[in-house]
Amino acid sequence: MAEASKVIHIRNVGHEIAEADLLQLLQPFGAVSKIVMLRAKNQALLQMQDIHSSVSALQYYTTVQPSVRGRNIYMQFSSHQELTTDQSSHGRNSDQDSEPNRILLATIHHMIYPITVEVLHQVFKAYGYVEKIVTFNKSAGFQALIQYQSRQEAVEAFGALHGRNIYDGCCQLDIQYSNLSELQVHYNNDRSRDFTNPSLPTEQRPRSSQQGYPDPGGLYAFQQPGAPYAQMGRAAMIAAAFGGTLPPGVTGTNERCTLIVSNLNTDKINEDKLFNLFSLYGNIVRIKVLRNKPDHALVEMADGFQAELAVHYLKGAMLFGNKLEVNYSKYPTITPAPDAHEYTNSSLNRFNSNVVKNYRHCCAPTKMIHISALPQDISEDTILTHVSEHGSVVGTKLFEVNGKRQALVLFETEEEATEALVSKHASSLEGNTIRISFSQMQSI
């Protein structure tokens, strides 16, 4: 084992992991004095203020696996006893590395959607009063200067937002402190704004159509300023569906969409059955059972949050006698191929409509299934005949909601209910394509 050092060497630091993520893991053990991200190697070096802090951190993380944004990372003492100033420049030129200041310089990477002053204001105002914003294009890409009323507000914004995405999977914020003392704003328009002086002229020009892009006004739903993550995108709608807060253990910050599912029963599983199960937690893009490892499959979800829900609720679930392992894949997507089943345009994807209701119904497998889209004249006996091959049915209930026939079927175990769901969801019953989900009701 390496000699104890103030410097901790961290491996498996993916591109989605920001400095702030690592700081949150290690600051509970003491002050972090320096950090350098080795992006090309997926590594980082982080120097604690003293050896006692670094020893305490590594002792703790030998018993608890550190994980950031769903990715396991690995720590050990570095062979460096000290990081030099050059090393700890965070990968920037030394003349760009400035002391904390109330003005931030933000560079936007992977800018798929246009970023305007309105968008930036929505993002940064969660951390304090934004006085001015100026945007411009440089060789580094699209950049913006954001001036806060106080330095403390800028420091909070830097800590919360550096390395985050404005939109899901793109428009990543790379933030540093500016060495300017005051921004000069001459016009209030979509490229610059002085929020302290609304009477400035607009210098209006025709604005290009942004049809087809997300509406910035509805995109940002932040957690409380200063919270570990500023979750953007559809977070407000999703949190509302879960009763105001995300389920315990769900961060809402994962961006990886592809899952690896293992320990499958190779005699009974196929892509459509996996679709029926995983589509409970989000829309499915494609699924591929691995021919060289037939008890493994890749499942690509529509976005990282839906993938996180699937991992959260299905890890360890029993299906066809096997305990499922569900983890994030190292592959960002599943390449279209003859052996990869395509579901992008499937009408059976549940989250094409009633999105809030579908999130509300997300849960781990239960003993009870809910069946909808039933024929109006269906009988309980017909339903029982359709699903009873999958296990012991304890009870059934047929009822009507808004004139539509629905049913609850209670099995003896969660595994039996799961088998019925994966086998009979989207099956035909007396000419109707029925829909099955888990019910969170405890009894009929």
Side-chain angles (χ1 to χ4, degrees):
M1 185 174 173
E3 182 186 347
S5 164
K6 289 190 289 185
V7 182
I8 296 173
H9 179 198
I10 307 175
R11 293 177 290 114
N12 202 33
V13 180
H15 67 87
E16 73 278 8
I17 296 175
E19 292 171 14
D21 295 317
L22 301 179
L23 290 173
Q24 283 169 16
L25 285 179
L26 290 160
Q27 279 176 334
F29 302 95
V32 175
S33 57
K34 295 174 184 176
I35 183 170
V36 55
M37 304 293 282
L38 305 170
R39 290 294 185 192
K41 297 181 178 180
N42 280 355
Q43 298 177 13
L45 294 169
L46 189 145
Q47 181 175 318
M48 306 297 288
Q49 200 165 35
D50 53 52
I51 283 191
H52 174 74
S53 301
S54 62
V55 169
S56 298
L58 286 194
Q59 282 177 342
Y60 177 77
Y61 286 122
T62 54
T63 58
V64 175
Q65 172 62 57
S67 178
V68 180
R69 300 173 73 114
R71 175 191 283 257
N72 288 343
I73 61 171
Y74 305 95
M75 300 185 188
Q76 64 190 54
F77 290 118
S78 170
S79 57
H80 296 283
Q81 288 298 311
E82 193 92 29
L83 290 179
T84 65
T85 305
D86 287 345
Q87 283 175 310
S88 63
S89 63
H90 298 208
R92 301 186 186 115
N93 296 330
S94 56
D95 62 344
Q96 292 177 306
D97 227 7
S98 306
E99 288 297 309
N101 178 16
R102 68 181 182 136
I103 300 177
L104 301 175
L105 172 63
T107 304
I108 315 293
H109 299 300
H110 317 302
M111 199 173 96
I112 295 174
Y113 302 127
I115 301 298
T116 63
V117 165
E118 288 90 349
V119 171
L120 292 166
H121 189 240
Q122 290 272 16
V123 172
F124 284 88
K125 72 177 183 181
Y127 303 95
Y129 180 65
V130 176
E131 291 185 338
K132 301 174 182 179
I133 297 177
V134 176
T135 66
F136 46 92
N137 281 289
K138 285 286 183 83
S139 56
F142 182 87
Q143 295 185 306
L145 289 162
I146 299 98
Q147 178 175 314
Y148 279 99
Q149 195 167 38
S150 71
R151 188 175 72 166
Q152 183 55 37
E153 293 168 333
V155 170
E156 283 192 26
F158 180 97
L161 294 176
H162 177 59
R164 302 288 172 215
N165 290 338
I166 294 179
Y167 296 106
D168 191 20
C170 66
C171 302
Q172 186 183 43
L173 288 163
D174 181 1
I175 302 174
Q176 56 189 282
Y177 294 107
S178 168
N179 53 17
L180 297 173
S181 57
E182 183 77 32
L183 294 183
Q184 302 299 319
V185 176
H186 304 290
Y187 301 102
N188 282 338
N189 53 33
D190 61 349
R191 295 172 306 285
S192 63
R193 189 75 50 88
D194 184 343
F195 296 96
T196 67
N197 186 5
S199 61
L200 284 176
T202 59
E203 188 217 15
Q204 286 184 341
R205 297 176 185 169
R207 289 181 61 177
S208 60
S209 168
Q210 290 182 11
Q211 263 190 325
Y213 293 115
D215 169 24
L219 270 175
Y220 306 96
F222 292 91
Q223 295 173 2
Q224 290 300 312
Y229 298 101
Q231 176 58 20
M232 310 170 201
R234 298 161 301 129
M237 176 266 291
I238 293 166
F242 285 109
T245 56
L246 295 176
V250 175
T251 67
T253 60
N254 171 62
E255 292 174 5
R256 283 167 292 169
C257 303
T258 304
L259 306 175
I260 180 79
V261 188
S262 56
N263 202 31
L264 295 167
N265 183 325
T266 56
D267 294 328
K268 296 186 176 180
I269 202 67
N270 60 36
E271 287 85 352
D272 286 344
K273 287 177 180 175
L274 286 171
F275 172 87
N276 290 345
L277 182 59
F278 280 80
S279 63
L280 287 167
Y281 308 101
N283 282 348
I284 306 299
V285 177
R286 53 186 71 92
I287 296 177
K288 179 179 180 178
V289 173
L290 304 184
R291 301 304 163 210
N292 58 338
K293 291 182 179 178
D295 65 333
H296 286 58
L298 292 171
V299 178
E300 184 181 344
M301 311 282 290
D303 64 43
F305 178 73
Q306 295 177 352
E308 185 180 10
L309 287 178
V311 171
H312 178 74
Y313 286 122
L314 290 179
K315 198 163 196 159
M318 294 296 297
L319 179 61
F320 297 124
N322 289 14
K323 187 176 180 179
L324 295 184
E325 269 301 316
V326 185
N327 295 291
Y328 299 106
S329 169
K330 64 182 179 181
Y331 299 106
T333 60
I334 300 173
T335 305
D339 59 346
H341 285 228
E342 193 72 39
Y343 295 98
T344 306
N345 299 315
S346 173
S347 61
L348 297 173
N349 265 318
R350 302 172 192 251
F351 286 70
N352 289 335
S353 59
N354 299 321
V355 176
V356 171
K357 185 177 78 172
N358 281 309
Y359 278 126
R360 192 181 301 130
H361 290 159
C362 284
C363 64
T366 66
K367 297 177 184 179
M368 194 179 310
I369 58 172
H370 173 263
I371 309 176
S372 58
L374 288 166
Q376 283 302 108
D377 55 354
I378 195 81
S379 68
E380 283 193 29
D381 284 345
T382 304
I383 295 169
L384 197 56
T385 302
H386 195 63
V387 300
S388 60
E389 66 176 289
H390 303 292
S392 302
V393 175
V394 177
T396 60
K397 180 182 180 182
L398 193 58
F399 58 99
E400 205 166 284
V401 176
N402 298 326
K404 295 178 180 177
R405 301 291 272 175
Q406 302 182 21
L408 292 170
V409 179
L410 179 62
F411 286 88
E412 208 162 77
T413 68
E414 287 91 350
E415 184 179 0
E416 291 172 341
T418 305
E419 181 179 324
L421 184 148
V422 303
S423 302
K424 291 299 181 357
H425 172 67
S427 65
S428 180
L429 183 58
E430 293 190 350
N432 282 31
T433 301
I434 62 172
R435 299 174 75 83
I436 303 180
S437 58
F438 291 115
S439 171
Q440 297 178 53
M441 292 179 65
Q442 299 301 308
S443 61
I444 292 180

